[in-house]
Amino acid sequence: MAQLSEDKMRVIIFEILDMERKNLRSKAKTDQRMAEEIQKVIIEHLKMRF
């Protein structure tokens, strides 16, 4: 299994943290919806990688 570079992992982490921060302020998304959004971010970055 191929490994993600540390830089790529950092980009993903910061993108997810930014999404969480925005949602904490607005409370617009449920936990389930946030989990789906996080999943999309991870899958999107993995597709770009491979």
Side-chain angles (χ1 to χ4, degrees), residues 25-41:
R25 290 183 181 164
S26 68
K27 303 277 189 210
K29 297 179 183 171
T30 63
D31 288 343
Q32 177 65 31
R33 185 70 180 133
M34 277 304 295
E36 291 169 1
E37 291 292 323
I38 290 169
Q39 181 181 11
K40 285 179 188 176
V41 167

Side-chain angles (χ1 to χ4, degrees), residues 1-48:
M1 187 167 128
Q3 300 251 339
L4 289 175
S5 70
E6 192 171 323
D7 290 336
K8 191 62 152 177
M9 284 293 285
R10 199 171 283 128
V11 167
I12 294 170
I13 289 168
F14 283 126
E15 188 171 339
I16 291 170
L17 287 173
D18 187 50
M19 288 171 47
E20 289 282 356
R21 179 182 55 83
K22 289 176 183 176
N23 192 50
L24 281 175
R25 290 183 181 164
S26 68
K27 303 277 189 210
K29 297 179 183 171
T30 63
D31 288 343
Q32 177 65 31
R33 185 70 180 133
M34 277 304 295
E36 291 169 1
E37 291 292 323
I38 290 169
Q39 181 181 11
K40 285 179 188 176
V41 167
I42 294 170
I43 290 171
E44 179 182 303
H45 282 282
L46 288 175
K47 284 181 181 178
M48 291 184 343

